[in-house]
Amino acid sequence: MITDKRWDHRNERRIFDRWQSEELYRLRLGRGKKAFIIDTPPPYPSGAWHIGAVAHYSQIDMIARTGRMLGNPVLFPIGIDRNGLPVELFTENKYKVKMREIPREKFIELCRTALDGLESEMIETMKNIGLSGDYAGKYRTDQEEYRRLTQSTFIELWKRGLIYETTRPNNYCPDCGTTIADAEVVYEELPTRLVHVKFTVRETGEPLIIATTRPELICACQLVIVNPTDERYLALHGKHAILPLYKREVEIKPHPSARPEFGTGAVMICSYGDYTDVLLFRELGLAEILATDQDGRLTRAAGPYQGLSVPEARAKIVQDLESTGLLAKTESISHRTPVCSRSKTPIEIIPMREYYLKQLDYLPKLKQLAKKMTFHPDANRQILIDWINSVTLDWPISRRRFYATEIPVWYCKSCGTPFVPPPGPYYRPWRDPPPSGRCSKCGSTEFEGDTRTFDTWMDSSISALFVSKYGRDSKFFKRNYPVTIRPQGKDIVRTWLHYSILRCYQLTERAPFARAWISGLGMDERGEAMHKSKGNVVDPIPILEKYGADAFRFWNASEAAHGSDFRCSESRIAGAHKFLTKLWNISRFISSFPQVREARLMASDKWILSELAILVEKSLAGYRQFDFFIPTSEVRDFVWETFASHYLEMVKARAYGQGFSKDQQRAAWHTLHTVLKTVLLLLAPIMPFIVDEIWRQLYSKTSIHVQRFPKPGWPKTYKRYTEPMLAFNREVWKVKEERNLTLRDPLEMQVPKSLAVFRDDLTKMHSLIASSS
Ligand SMILES: [Zn+2]
Ligand SMILES: [Zn+2]
């Protein structure tokens, strides 16, 4: 019997602690059984947790709970991604330091301290939202064991010739001070000045106007192109243009890359304004002129602008062009600008010497694997396929950063040949003495360590290997790899998903997981992305405190179909909270009746069990697809409508024994408890706290979370009555309302013949009296 009048969500933490002390979610792997392993995204602690992320992890917990209730031994790893830029930027901000201005050891120390604080807040939130994860086995991507794995897999691929070092123009973020991969570049529409500059045609002396958003790169111009079909410039093919200010000459060539509708149709090609420049320099074998350096400043090639930052140089050169009469006009345009996905800085394209992991040779295979993998929802497979189709470069994997896994390479001091140590230990070449050995080329024993680190996706792309104990427990790995499911957001398909399949395939010749579960992103109330600058960020912590995790989780699961973006709004979460109150009230009401094992059911009982069987079927279909929108909305509609509004009202009198036989009363009791138990089980993955509390108060000393899903084991034959019965009830309520009667007031009305089997319950429910005529 439930005595508390209200469900108090402050009980959630007590319930969570009980789960922990009971070790409810420990992986219990029977002999020969394969574990259901979730390749949990290890979150980045780099500041306050976004509400969308909290929602995302709540849903991953639903995957874990679904896996268990479907009868699997589940491993739900809790990992924290502690490598890389976001952490470094957070640390620089927090301690007001610059990474390159303090000793590397000291900076690493500060990162670690900052991380520990952020991590413990994050773990608290994970517990507060009820994540049934493996906290005891928590891993960190910066722990030695993990970094060792990253390094040893690098060494393995190095030996197989899949890694090479070369200098090529690459995306470079001056703020982060490092090369970044195409996958880390995003495009933003930024307001820019389009500057129309006067060049001169050498042969004729006529002016040639060229529009550019990068006038500071005129010094690096090696060619002017016009579209071959552009009639305005037919006469200029093969002639030469004199650069303004610098007076150097370059050729004017027809080339299809020039778009006649952009600017004046004539385009300057310089090293490097954009990817078209890179391709043309390569295609035509032009000599590159480096105009910007690694700090984002202009080089000597820029003459008077040397040392200025890109924006400074741009402003200055526009001034100079104007004062010398070389500026035709400027216009404000919105320009699709490539920016660094982490710092949002416009990137520069600079040639840098970096390590690359081969991926171009693997693209056909990756596409094949992507086609074979199960995607939830299926439509999101296309995001990956589109990305694979667009990849044109190998993956640059070296970064000029500090807080990440070190590249385990030394170089011969006399001839520069790389020396790669054997896999196994964790190497820090910037600090550690070189391993003993001889240069393979010149025999020297003097080495110098690489100071660079890996792109952090090199670490996180092998999380599936780490959680399946690759290289640590071959028996476990053999049995459990590929893992079961990779849940992740659709914003990191081209990075995490793509790189994971690439890396794990290269190492194991298999895809790392059988299923990819790709969720949408959390937006604000109006469906717009949340940004600190927009002031529309919703903080999840006060919301969780106010409404509790169950309400939050129920809201999130019912907010949008799996895979779609969802809107975060407090009022909707408050609405979800009402369902919990309803569930508690219903449970309290039912708890006042005894549980009876068997009973001779009446028609109304058979009817609600038919509906219940259908509910179980539909919900399980949703659960099997890990689409929690389906069970959540189905159960909500059933509980509010079919069950509470109709069935409960129909059997209230019978449950209290008013005017019914003992047998009939027992049938009501039996059915009420059967429905409640089933509903609790169906809600267990969604709102784990409240259902466990009700379950233990009413049905068992052990948790609901060791139960399986219910089976739809009732005949569905009475389903045919649903529509006429609901219609009849609504009709009665309408008539009473029209006549200003309360629901209990008697009414002269006949139960229709089609519903004759329900006559006793319906008559009581509506206080119907036979007509006197
Ligand atoms: Zn950046
Ligand atoms: Zn050497």
Side-chain angles (χ1 to χ4, degrees):
M1 170 98 179
I2 295 173
T3 50
D4 289 347
K5 284 216 170 69
R6 241 174 246 104
W7 163 244
D8 185 351
H9 67 258
R10 280 168 303 183
N11 285 319
E12 287 178 351
R13 195 49 197 260
R14 170 180 60 75
I15 294 170
F16 184 88
D17 292 341
R18 183 166 58 191
W19 295 339
Q20 291 291 94
S21 67
E22 291 171 344
E23 298 191 339
L24 217 52
Y25 306 119
R26 214 184 53 200
L27 172 65
R28 288 176 178 81
L29 203 50
R31 276 185 87 84
K33 260 242 172 200
K34 184 173 156 62
F36 179 108
I37 300 183
I38 300 171
D39 186 13
T40 321
Y44 259 131
S46 64
W49 227 8
H50 189 282
I51 187 168
V54 175
H56 184 52
Y57 283 87
S58 306
Q59 292 226 2
I60 296 173
D61 181 58
M62 294 174 202
I63 296 178
R65 293 178 183 280
T66 299
R68 290 188 203 100
M69 292 190 79
L70 288 170
N72 303 291
V74 170
L75 177 61
F76 177 13
I78 298 287
I80 306 282
D81 193 355
R82 304 190 8 141
N83 287 322
L85 272 169
V87 167
E88 293 174 331
L89 298 180
F90 179 84
T91 304
E92 288 189 324
N93 250 324
K94 178 170 180 179
Y95 299 106
K96 306 276 171 269
V97 293
K98 283 270 164 225
M99 183 180 90
R100 288 175 219 283
E101 289 167 9
I102 58 172
R104 187 163 176 164
E105 297 268 12
K106 177 80 191 147
F107 184 72
I108 288 174
E109 190 62 46
L110 288 178
C111 286
R112 206 167 278 144
T113 313
L115 277 165
D116 289 348
L118 289 169
E119 177 185 304
S120 54
E121 281 171 34
M122 210 165 221
I123 297 281
E124 268 314 281
T125 306
M126 288 179 173
K127 292 179 173 174
N128 285 336
I129 56 175
L131 295 202
S132 56
D134 177 21
Y135 295 92
K138 181 183 77 185
Y139 74 88
R140 297 163 160 175
T141 58
D142 65 345
Q143 78 197 45
E144 273 201 29
E145 203 172 30
Y146 202 107
R147 286 187 170 176
R148 247 181 7 223
L149 180 64
T150 303
Q151 290 185 336
S152 61
T153 56
F154 166 85
I155 293 167
E156 189 181 333
L157 298 180
W158 170 285
K159 285 189 179 149
R160 286 172 40 201
L162 297 186
I163 288 162
Y164 61 94
E165 196 183 24
T166 190
T167 303
R168 64 168 60 139
N170 225 319
N171 311 304
Y172 186 86
C173 172
D175 260 358
C176 301
T178 185
T179 294
I180 56 176
D182 285 351
E184 293 169 289
V185 174
V186 293
Y187 286 84
E188 282 187 3
E189 287 290 335
L190 296 179
T192 310
R193 264 201 302 183
L194 184 62
V195 185
H196 294 245
V197 186
K198 277 185 202 160
F199 287 54
T200 313
V201 179
R202 188 193 73 194
E203 286 82 354
T204 63
E206 63 186 303
L208 171 63
I209 311 291
I210 294 180
T212 175
T213 58
R214 304 289 312 263
E216 72 280 6
L217 292 183
I218 290 174
C219 62
C221 175
Q222 288 286 46
L223 182 70
V224 168
I225 59 167
V226 294
N227 193 285
T229 62
D230 193 336
E231 295 187 358
R232 294 170 291 180
Y233 300 118
L234 288 178
L236 296 185
H237 295 183
K239 295 202 166 60
H240 295 81
I242 302 174
L243 308 181
L245 301 175
Y246 295 93
K247 308 285 185 217
R248 195 159 49 79
E249 285 174 19
V250 300
E251 205 186 338
I252 304 169
K253 263 194 176 171
H255 196 281
S257 304
R259 287 182 298 137
E261 69 282 5
F262 180 78
T264 61
V267 183
M268 66 171 198
I269 301 302
C270 34
S271 51
Y272 291 101
D274 58 22
Y275 295 109
T276 310
D277 290 345
V278 176
L279 294 175
L280 280 172
F281 265 73
R282 203 174 295 160
E283 180 186 323
L284 304 172
L286 302 173
E288 63 190 10
I289 297 174
L290 301 184
T292 47
D293 69 13
Q294 295 177 22
D295 300 323
R297 296 189 176 272
L298 276 288
T299 62
R300 205 180 194 172
Y305 311 105
Q306 180 182 359
L308 298 182
S309 71
V310 168
E312 284 165 359
R314 192 174 301 167
K316 187 78 177 36
I317 198 168
V318 169
Q319 243 177 42
D320 293 349
L321 289 167
E322 188 162 25
S323 64
T324 48
L326 295 168
L327 185 72
K329 66 168 179 174
T330 67
E331 49 183 322
S332 295
I333 57 161
S334 169
H335 186 60
R336 200 167 162 266
T337 312
V339 302
C340 165
S341 64
R342 311 268 195 215
S343 62
K344 304 288 182 255
T345 318
I347 57 152
E348 294 294 327
I349 298 172
I350 317 186
M352 301 282 282
R353 193 160 176 80
E354 304 289 4
Y355 279 113
Y356 287 83
L357 175 62
K358 288 188 182 171
Q359 63 172 341
L360 297 179
D361 305 346
Y362 288 87
L363 297 176
K365 186 68 203 178
L366 295 187
K367 217 149 73 174
Q368 210 181 357
L369 294 174
K371 283 181 178 159
K372 263 173 53 191
M373 198 175 277
T374 304
F375 272 73
H376 305 276
D378 193 58
N380 280 354
R381 178 196 322 272
Q382 201 54 39
I383 308 175
L384 179 61
I385 303 272
D386 289 346
W387 174 250
I388 295 173
N389 284 335
S390 76
V391 170
T392 56
L393 289 171
D394 285 332
W395 175 15
I397 52 172
S398 43
R399 296 288 181 272
R400 290 150 205 280
R401 302 295 302 181
F402 289 175
Y403 201 82
T405 302
E406 289 84 353
I407 296 180
V409 180
W410 275 263
Y411 303 92
C412 170
K413 269 190 184 166
S414 44
C415 76
T417 302
F419 179 86
V420 177
Y426 170 40
Y427 295 107
R428 271 159 291 195
W430 60 273
R431 198 193 82 163
D432 296 344
S436 55
R438 282 184 179 281
C439 170
S440 60
K441 207 166 171 189
C442 73
S444 161
T445 52
E446 300 269 294
F447 297 101
E448 194 167 18
D450 198 317
T451 56
R452 287 170 297 175
T453 57
F454 286 120
D455 178 357
T456 60
W457 296 112
M458 276 290 279
D459 301 289
S460 50
S461 57
I462 49 170
S463 57
L465 296 180
F466 189 81
V467 299
S468 58
K469 305 185 199 272
Y470 174 79
R472 306 201 309 282
D473 181 343
S474 58
K475 221 172 117 195
F476 186 89
F477 177 75
K478 225 170 148 188
R479 197 195 295 176
N480 294 299
Y481 182 87
V483 303
T484 314
I485 189 165
R486 151 64 68 84
Q488 64 161 76
K490 68 179 180 196
D491 53 333
I492 51 174
V493 166
R494 60 189 201 163
T495 46
W496 196 36
L497 185 59
H498 171 79
Y499 289 146
S500 297
I501 301 174
L502 171 72
R503 287 261 281 140
C504 295
Y505 177 75
Q506 287 176 336
L507 291 159
T508 67
E509 295 187 333
R510 299 171 82 174
F513 25 76
R515 297 160 183 268
W517 182 93
I518 314 289
S519 72
L521 307 175
M523 301 291 166
D524 79 354
E525 264 173 296
R526 287 167 305 161
E528 286 176 31
M530 288 184 221
H531 273 300
K532 263 191 204 139
S533 58
K534 279 203 235 164
N536 62 350
V537 174
V538 183
D539 183 359
I541 306 296
I543 288 187
L544 285 169
E545 272 167 19
K546 197 160 161 193
Y547 303 103
D550 278 338
F552 180 86
R553 295 168 60 115
F554 184 74
W555 154 74
N556 185 242
S558 59
E559 190 58 31
H562 171 57
S564 320
D565 292 346
F566 53 92
R567 298 177 179 203
C568 302
S569 108
E570 183 172 343
S571 64
R572 309 266 306 168
I573 298 168
H577 192 258
K578 289 194 186 120
F579 180 79
L580 271 80
T581 307
K582 185 80 180 176
L583 182 67
W584 188 260
N585 290 341
I586 290 172
S587 306
R588 209 162 81 88
F589 169 69
I590 294 174
S591 79
S592 62
F593 304 113
Q595 297 169 41
V596 283
R597 266 179 189 279
E598 268 166 53
R600 285 190 48 196
L601 302 180
M602 291 185 66
S604 329
D605 308 325
K606 289 178 186 166
W607 165 70
I608 197 67
L609 293 181
S610 293
E611 280 293 317
L612 189 67
I614 293 161
L615 173 71
V616 171
E617 273 176 8
K618 285 184 178 167
S619 304
L620 288 186
Y623 276 124
R624 288 200 186 94
Q625 289 303 311
F626 305 102
D627 185 345
F628 309 110
F629 177 73
I630 297 171
T632 312
S633 26
E634 292 291 341
V635 174
R636 182 192 51 203
D637 293 351
F638 174 87
V639 169
W640 276 112
E641 270 303 300
T642 321
F643 185 59
S645 301
H646 295 273
Y647 179 76
L648 271 186
E649 296 303 322
M650 284 166 75
V651 301
K652 236 178 210 166
R654 180 145 62 87
Y656 285 125
Q658 295 159 351
F660 289 87
S661 73
K662 195 77 200 158
D663 266 3
Q664 293 171 323
Q665 185 184 27
R666 288 170 58 85
W669 293 348
H670 172 81
T671 310
L672 286 169
H673 280 289
T674 303
V675 173
L676 179 58
K677 265 188 177 171
T678 307
V679 162
L680 293 176
L681 288 166
L682 289 180
L683 285 171
I686 315 286
M687 34 171 75
F689 295 100
I690 188 172
V691 298
D692 200 26
E693 185 67 22
I694 298 170
W695 184 266
R696 297 208 209 207
Q697 287 202 25
L698 296 185
Y699 300 123
S700 172
K701 279 204 182 77
T702 54
S703 171
I704 192 170
H705 300 301
V706 298
Q707 299 287 325
R708 299 273 180 98
F709 278 125
K711 294 195 172 65
W714 305 279
K716 287 174 282 185
T717 38
Y718 277 61
K719 159 80 185 147
R720 64 195 143 110
Y721 293 113
T722 303
E723 242 175 80
M725 173 139 54
L726 268 48
F728 173 71
N729 287 339
R730 290 193 185 111
E731 174 64 20
V732 174
W733 291 329
K734 205 178 106 201
V735 170
K736 286 193 171 179
E737 199 186 328
E738 282 165 3
R739 297 188 194 167
N740 267 325
L741 297 173
T742 71
L743 291 180
R744 287 176 186 199
D745 285 335
L747 180 72
E748 228 175 70
M749 204 191 246
Q750 289 280 350
V751 172
K753 269 214 178 76
S754 61
L755 298 175
V757 288
F758 305 102
R759 183 167 291 131
D760 291 352
D761 282 337
L762 289 174
T763 303
K764 273 282 180 199
M765 172 185 185
H766 298 298
S767 313
L768 300 181
I769 44 178
S771 73
S772 44
S773 62

